[in-house]
Amino acid sequence: MRHLIHQYKEMVYKFLTVYSLKKYKPPSPKMHTTPSSVFPQTIDSNFNELLRLIDWPEPPSPVTHYNLSTSPRHCDYHLLNARDTYRIGETLEVLITARDHHARPKKYGGDYFRAKLHSPALKAGVTGHVKDHGNGSYLATLLLPWAGRAEVQIRLIHSSEAVAVLKKKRENHPEKVYFYGYFQFNGSSEMVECNLEVAGKDVCTYRNPVSGDTWQCVRPRKLPCDSWVYHSMGKNRIITDSLEDTLLSSSVANKIIPGNVSPINVFSDISSLELTANLSACRPGLEPTQPSGFYYGDNWRSLTCRGRHFPQPSDALACLKGKDIHMFGDSTLRQWFEYLERFIPSLQRIDLHVNYKSGPLIAVDAIAGLAVRWRAHGLPLRTSKTMVSNLHYESAHLAGIGGGPHTVIVITLWAHFTTYPVQVYLERLGRIRKAVASLLFRSPQTTVILKSANTGSKSVYGSDWLSLQLDILLRVYFKGLAVIILDAWDMTSCHYLPDAIHPGPAVIRNEVDLMLSYICPQ
């Protein structure tokens, strides 16, 4: 087991690819005699093994001055083994040197670099794999998947010192984001603070009877606990000091670092289409390759399976005819619902008179027998004021879906969990995995898609590094189930649009096309 753990410590630098996970086995469940318990328990002793997978190097000592941290302006990179000719299918190797604000080489690792190869003119891009050598140097490996001009871009997302801050605040300050609960009874109303856990003993605790998820609110002064009617986002607490704020500031986060690698021209012994010619049809259980695909002409070309594109509404409608689609997640998944609603003219939304930001939303085409639904995942959820009764925990809701060949389940769970200790996320994944496994047990032909995290925020309340950690756990935890991991991380990290928590239309179109490729494989 030790040699496996060592291998997978390096996985966090592969930017959410699972190439290294082929040898990893999920935690073994405790087996019981009843059929309902053939699935993993919510939490077991092997969770520590999962936590080891997201180990990240920390500075040898706490940073005492901003100038000692990694400076994107002074970092640099150069090409190894430069050649006169490059061809499709080959790789580039780029050595990155981290330096502090005095331009001195760093002696330890832990910086979060992201690499990509891109061509603005061709609207092409592919994500690189970055390996931390642990001594201030990093090796970026980049596939050459298209013919023509290609440029290397290396970006410092966070210094190792900033990552240490993110990790510390994640584990030690789960209250950094809090929520409001609204209580109403007999004409009286109160608003109190709520969260997964709230300080003090005088609290109202709510436990979902199906999923087991819990939520707490400060007990209202006059009203009973069962008068809780509405939920909303509260506020962010300030949990950083001036030095930490500087380490996380936009002046040093998410910055392109200078390098001396000139654009190269890639020649073609083979067509880039040949890279995808022998791929299998898109189906559940496939592990995304590294990289999982690339953009060319603003179209995503999967390297995991034979992806398709659906340029006309009639193409998408033909694929989705007779489907019952259930989406559970955050606003990044609501974008898929919105895209389909706009793209397919015959798909008409039914007004359920609910808060649009949290749903539930439904659009139907009665003639095609198509229903598309989206609803926010259960608490915690940062949203405007909404009725608690409309917020369903995803595992509890899945228990009420029969499934079958016409049923499609899509889930994403990450952005609203970046402020909590990792243990919270792992426990939630355990409940969802059990619910998905139960659904597939009773209806094996159900299509289940897990949308990965996407790039976006760069703050202590939500950062790519925090999202990366959760996404690694998501992929590992669902390994072994007949589900689809749709790699939105690669699709956002190498696109020409800037990082955004809500990716632009071109990215969403490609994400939905890939989803449809799994629903209707070639």
Side-chain angles (χ1 to χ4, degrees):
M1 177 60 72
R2 288 184 179 178
H3 76 281
L4 289 177
I5 293 172
H6 176 73
Q7 283 182 340
Y8 298 127
K9 283 182 179 180
E10 297 183 355
M11 180 186 63
V12 292
Y13 303 104
K14 295 195 174 182
F15 303 126
L16 297 188
T17 56
V18 292
Y19 179 78
S20 295
L21 291 178
K22 291 183 178 179
K23 299 179 182 178
Y24 181 76
K25 303 298 181 185
S28 300
K30 297 177 181 178
M31 305 302 288
H32 300 270
T33 56
T34 56
S36 62
S37 62
V38 299
F39 313 117
Q41 303 297 299
T42 299
I43 184 169
D44 63 25
S45 60
N46 288 323
F47 263 28
N48 286 333
E49 301 299 326
L50 290 170
L51 295 178
R52 289 190 181 98
L53 295 182
I54 57 171
D55 277 353
W56 195 278
E58 295 186 13
S61 59
V63 64
T64 57
H65 197 282
Y66 168 75
N67 288 337
L68 301 177
S69 65
T70 307
S71 165
R73 188 164 64 91
H74 292 99
C75 293
D76 57 56
Y77 61 90
H78 66 274
L79 187 62
L80 297 180
N81 305 313
R83 304 191 300 275
D84 294 330
T85 303
Y86 296 91
R87 301 191 181 280
I88 288 178
E90 296 178 338
T91 57
L92 293 182
E93 289 188 331
V94 175
L95 186 65
I96 306 167
T97 301
R99 301 178 187 274
D100 65 19
H101 290 267
H102 296 294
R104 297 175 301 200
K106 298 287 290 293
K107 301 298 184 183
Y108 52 88
D111 296 302
Y112 178 17
F113 287 103
R114 206 162 72 210
K116 75 174 182 179
L117 193 73
H118 68 122
S119 172
L122 299 174
K123 291 188 175 180
V126 64
T127 300
H129 156 213
V130 178
K131 181 179 180 180
D132 187 346
H133 287 155
N135 59 3
S137 68
Y138 303 77
L139 181 66
T141 305
L142 302 116
L143 176 68
L144 303 177
W146 65 79
R149 187 179 175 92
E151 303 175 25
V152 174
Q153 183 188 99
I154 308 295
R155 189 181 294 269
L156 177 65
I157 305 300
H158 289 299
S159 67
S160 56
E161 293 76 20
V163 168
V165 173
L166 292 172
K167 181 178 180 181
K168 175 183 176 182
K169 303 302 181 183
R170 179 190 66 190
E171 296 301 318
N172 298 335
H173 291 278
E175 81 294 346
K176 66 177 73 66
V177 170
Y178 63 93
F179 304 84
Y180 291 133
Y182 302 83
F183 292 73
Q184 297 178 355
F185 185 71
N186 278 349
S188 299
S189 62
E190 290 185 54
M191 182 181 76
V192 301
E193 182 177 331
C194 302
N195 216 323
L196 287 171
E197 290 186 11
V198 292
K201 296 182 179 179
D202 200 12
V203 300
C204 298
T205 299
Y206 305 92
R207 181 181 178 85
N208 185 278
V210 176
S211 69
D213 291 275
T214 60
W215 189 252
Q216 291 187 345
C217 293
V218 173
R219 186 182 297 274
R221 289 172 297 179
K222 300 179 180 179
L223 300 182
C225 288
D226 58 9
S227 63
W228 179 40
V229 178
Y230 292 97
H231 163 86
S232 80
M233 173 64 186
K235 296 180 180 179
N236 296 341
R237 287 190 171 92
I238 297 175
I239 56 167
T240 50
D241 58 31
S242 58
L243 175 58
E244 292 167 337
D245 287 337
T246 305
L247 293 172
L248 292 166
S249 71
S250 59
S251 63
V252 290
N254 194 31
K255 293 296 182 182
I256 296 173
I257 70 171
N260 63 358
V261 179
S262 301
I264 64 170
N265 285 309
V266 182
F267 297 93
S268 177
D269 284 337
I270 61 171
S271 166
S272 59
L273 293 177
E274 292 188 36
L275 291 175
T276 61
N278 296 319
L279 296 176
S280 64
C282 296
R283 57 177 173 78
L286 292 177
E287 296 180 359
T289 55
Q290 195 270 310
S292 64
F294 63 97
Y295 285 103
Y296 186 81
D298 221 10
N299 286 324
W300 181 255
R301 296 185 178 180
S302 174
L303 294 173
T304 302
C305 63
R306 291 199 304 268
R308 301 172 58 190
H309 288 285
F310 299 77
Q312 300 300 323
S314 58
D315 300 326
L317 186 60
C319 170
L320 296 177
K321 184 177 181 180
K323 299 297 183 183
D324 187 14
I325 302 176
H326 300 257
M327 299 182 181
F328 305 91
D330 54 36
S331 54
T332 68
L333 188 56
R334 191 180 67 222
Q335 288 183 278
W336 291 16
F337 175 93
E338 294 164 342
Y339 173 84
L340 288 171
E341 183 184 22
R342 289 192 304 267
F343 187 59
I344 303 176
S346 60
L347 195 58
Q348 299 296 309
R349 179 143 46 100
I350 299 173
D351 188 356
L352 299 179
H353 308 288
V354 296
N355 177 3
Y356 178 80
K357 290 186 175 181
S358 54
L361 308 177
I362 182 170
V364 300
D365 181 337
I367 295 176
L370 168 63
V372 182
R373 316 158 194 265
W374 173 88
R375 70 185 313 136
H377 60 63
L379 301 173
L381 183 71
R382 304 174 211 172
T383 187
S384 54
K385 189 175 179 180
T386 189
M387 292 196 73
V388 173
S389 56
N390 284 328
L391 300 176
H392 293 188
Y393 289 104
E394 46 291 327
S395 54
H397 199 101
L398 285 173
I401 297 175
H406 299 292
T407 303
V408 178
I409 307 295
V410 189
I411 301 172
T412 192
L413 194 79
W414 57 280
H416 296 255
F417 288 81
T418 55
T419 61
Y420 294 101
V422 168
Q423 189 77 6
V424 169
Y425 187 66
L426 286 173
E427 291 175 356
R428 184 66 158 260
L429 288 187
R431 292 189 284 273
I432 295 174
R433 191 188 195 281
K434 184 177 181 180
V436 168
S438 180
L439 172 61
L440 293 174
F441 180 78
R442 63 180 177 267
S443 300
Q445 292 179 296
T446 306
T447 300
V448 179
I449 300 172
L450 301 173
K451 172 192 168 293
S452 82
N454 54 254
T455 57
S457 304
K458 308 290 188 293
S459 79
V460 73
Y461 304 104
S463 162
D464 284 355
W465 182 81
L466 296 168
S467 301
L468 168 69
Q469 295 255 294
L470 299 187
D471 210 45
I472 291 170
L473 295 173
L474 172 80
R475 292 164 186 261
V476 174
Y477 211 74
F478 279 84
K479 185 177 174 65
L481 280 185
V483 300
I484 296 152
I485 303 293
L486 197 144
D487 195 350
W489 189 271
D490 260 14
M491 299 178 79
T492 51
S493 62
C494 68
H495 197 266
Y496 59 80
L497 290 174
D499 289 351
I501 193 69
H502 297 119
V507 175
I508 298 301
R509 170 178 59 82
N510 280 286
E511 290 178 350
V512 173
D513 279 358
L514 188 55
M515 175 187 73
L516 296 178
S517 297
Y518 279 99
I519 296 173
C520 303
Q522 290 181 330

